[in-house]
Amino acid sequence: MAKRQLNRRQSWRIEKIQEERASRAARRESRALEELEGGDLGPEQTGLVIAHFGVQVEVEAQQGEQAGEVFRCHLRANLPALVTGDRVVWRPGNQGIGVIVAQLPRQTELCRPDSRGQLKPVAANVDLIVIVFAPLPEPHANLIDRYLVAAEHASITPLLLLNKADLIDEQNEKALNALLGVYRSLGYPLLEVSARDGDGMDSLRARLDGHVSVFVGQSGVGKSSLVNSLLPGVETRVGSLSEMTGKGTHTTTTARLFHFPGGGELIDSPGIREFGLMHVSRADVEAGFIEFRDVLGHCRFRDCKHDREPGCALLKALDEGRIQPQRMASYRHILSSMPEADY
C-alpha cells in the first residue's frame, strides 16, 4: 500500500512539473505569436501538418509558389490540439516562421487514451492502417485483432503485413500459415514482404499508393526498416531485438509525415505504435469482428454474454465452424481486459 502511495505521489509530482513546463512554453509561444502578428504576415493559405513538436508544428505549404516548402508554425491559443496529418489554414511570417489560424475538418482520426485515461488524437486523415507483424517476435492473434477492432472503430481500412518473411522456416511455418489462413478466409488484405531482402516490397508500394497510411505493431517487427526501404534517404533509426526479452526496442520518437515518391503519405509516430481499446464499448468490439455481423442479434437472450448461455448464436456459429476458435478466444480476451461496466 505504501509503495502504491509513493508511486502516486511521484506520478503527481512528475505531472505537475510537466504542466509547469508546458505552461512556461505556452507563455513563450504567446509572446512570440504576438510579435509575429504584430509584424507582416502573408496571405492565408492551406497547409499540411507533417510534424508535431509540442507547442509548435511543421507545416508543408499546399498552394502557390511556396507549395512543398516546410515552415515551423506557432498555433493560436483558440485552436484545438493539432496532430500530424491535420490540414490547416496558415499565414507565413518572417524568417520562415508562420502562424496557424484554423484547422480544417478531419476525415478520420486515430485516438489513444493517455496516462489519465483521456482520449487524445495521435494522427488525422489516415485512410489505411498497416498492421505489421513478423515471425519474430512471435505474432499473437489477440494483438492483431485489437488493431482490427481499432481500425473498424475509426472507420479506417486495415492492411495486414507480414514482414521478415525471410525468417519463415520449418519451425514456424505451420503456425504462421494457420494464423494467416484465418484472416485470408475473412477477406482481409494481406501481404508478405521482407524489408531486408526486398521481396514483396513492390506490391506493398503499389498498395500504399494514393493513401495516407500508418504502420502499427509491436516493437521489433521491422516498421522502421520498412520505412527506410520505402523511403530511401529518410534513415529512420532501426532498433534490434532485445537479447533478454526477444522483444523489440523503441526507435521512433517524433510523429512525422513522409511522402512516397509515387504518391501517398506515411505517418510514422510512437503514439500509433501501440494503442489500447479503453475508449471502445462492447458493441464496438463486436463490430470489429466482421464475421459476427450476421450472427449478432439472433441469440435467445437479448443480454447474452456469448459465454455458456443456451441459445447463443455465436456459440452455435463456433460449433459449426463459421467462427474460428482463434477469433473467439481473442474476442473473449479483449472483453476480459475491459472494465466490467463496459460489457
Side-chain angles (χ1 to χ4, degrees):
M1 177 69 72
K3 186 175 181 180
R4 284 200 298 270
Q5 290 176 342
L6 179 61
N7 289 337
R8 291 195 191 101
R9 287 198 294 269
Q10 290 174 337
S11 298
W12 181 81
R13 287 171 184 161
I14 291 172
E15 288 177 357
K16 291 295 291 183
I17 292 172
Q18 290 174 338
E19 288 174 357
E20 289 172 2
R21 287 176 178 173
S23 178
R24 288 196 296 269
R27 288 195 293 270
R28 289 195 299 270
E29 289 300 312
S30 179
R31 289 194 294 269
L33 187 56
E34 289 174 2
E35 293 175 2
L36 272 173
E37 295 192 322
D40 294 327
L41 287 175
E44 292 186 355
Q45 55 183 289
T46 58
L48 174 66
V49 176
I50 64 169
H52 193 284
F53 301 97
V55 291
Q56 287 188 348
V57 297
E58 284 188 354
V59 172
E60 181 182 271
Q62 298 286 287
Q63 60 186 125
E65 295 180 357
Q66 295 174 316
E69 295 184 33
V70 177
F71 298 82
R72 185 66 68 96
C73 288
H74 298 279
L75 282 68
R76 282 186 173 169
N78 62 338
L79 290 175
L82 298 180
V83 294
T84 302
D86 264 320
R87 301 191 181 278
V88 297
V89 177
W90 71 289
R91 298 179 65 185
N94 298 323
Q95 301 178 343
I97 303 294
V99 177
I100 295 178
V101 299
Q103 175 197 42
L104 296 176
R106 291 171 178 165
Q107 300 301 311
T108 63
E109 63 179 18
L110 269 177
C111 298
R112 62 170 294 174
D114 62 12
S115 59
R116 300 180 182 180
Q118 297 176 334
L119 204 59
K120 290 189 174 181
V122 291
N125 299 313
V126 173
D127 60 12
L128 185 67
I129 292 180
V130 183
I131 302 169
V132 186
F133 53 101
L136 289 174
E138 181 183 355
H140 296 285
N142 178 254
L143 182 58
I144 295 173
D145 292 337
R146 285 176 177 271
Y147 286 127
L148 290 173
V149 170
E152 184 70 28
H153 182 67
S155 299
I156 302 174
T157 300
L159 169 66
L160 299 179
L161 182 66
L162 174 68
N163 189 26
K164 303 185 181 181
D166 53 289
L167 298 182
I168 298 176
D169 55 28
E170 293 181 356
Q171 294 182 333
N172 58 33
E173 184 175 20
K174 184 176 180 181
L176 281 172
N177 285 339
L179 177 73
L180 301 184
V182 170
Y183 298 109
R184 287 194 176 103
S185 69
L186 293 171
Y188 283 111
L190 194 154
L191 293 177
E192 298 182 35
V193 305
S194 171
R196 188 181 72 172
D197 295 345
D199 294 339
M201 293 301 293
D202 287 340
S203 296
L204 177 58
R205 290 186 186 93
R207 186 65 180 82
L208 299 176
D209 186 23
H211 293 282
V212 179
S213 308
V214 296
F215 285 6
V216 301
Q218 66 187 118
S219 297
V221 296
K223 297 187 296 297
S224 294
S225 296
L226 287 165
V227 174
N228 290 340
S229 179
L230 291 164
L231 298 162
V234 168
E235 296 300 324
T236 300
R237 290 185 297 123
V238 178
S240 59
L241 294 182
S242 165
E243 293 183 1
M244 293 184 64
T245 66
K247 297 180 180 180
T249 55
H250 298 316
T251 55
T252 306
T253 56
T254 302
R256 181 167 288 276
L257 182 145
F258 301 100
H259 294 289
F260 291 121
E265 290 83 36
L266 171 69
I267 296 177
D268 191 29
S269 167
I272 305 171
R273 185 184 295 123
E274 296 180 17
F275 49 97
L277 295 176
M278 290 187 291
H279 59 297
V280 305
S281 66
R282 175 186 171 184
D284 294 326
V285 173
E286 291 174 346
F289 285 78
I290 57 176
E291 67 271 44
F292 289 9
R293 293 173 183 172
D294 294 335
V295 181
L296 291 171
H298 295 283
C299 297
R300 180 184 302 176
F301 302 107
R302 188 169 57 181
D303 60 347
C304 183
K305 296 293 182 65
H306 318 303
D307 187 14
R308 288 182 289 270
E309 294 88 345
C312 173
L314 256 65
L315 293 180
K316 180 181 179 182
L318 179 67
D319 290 339
E320 295 174 351
R322 290 181 287 136
I323 294 176
Q324 296 295 318
Q326 168 188 302
R327 292 275 286 173
M328 194 67 177
S330 280
Y331 167 70
R332 288 170 169 165
H333 190 275
I334 291 172
L335 286 190
S336 69
S337 68
M338 298 172 65
E340 189 170 347
D342 290 344
Y343 69 93

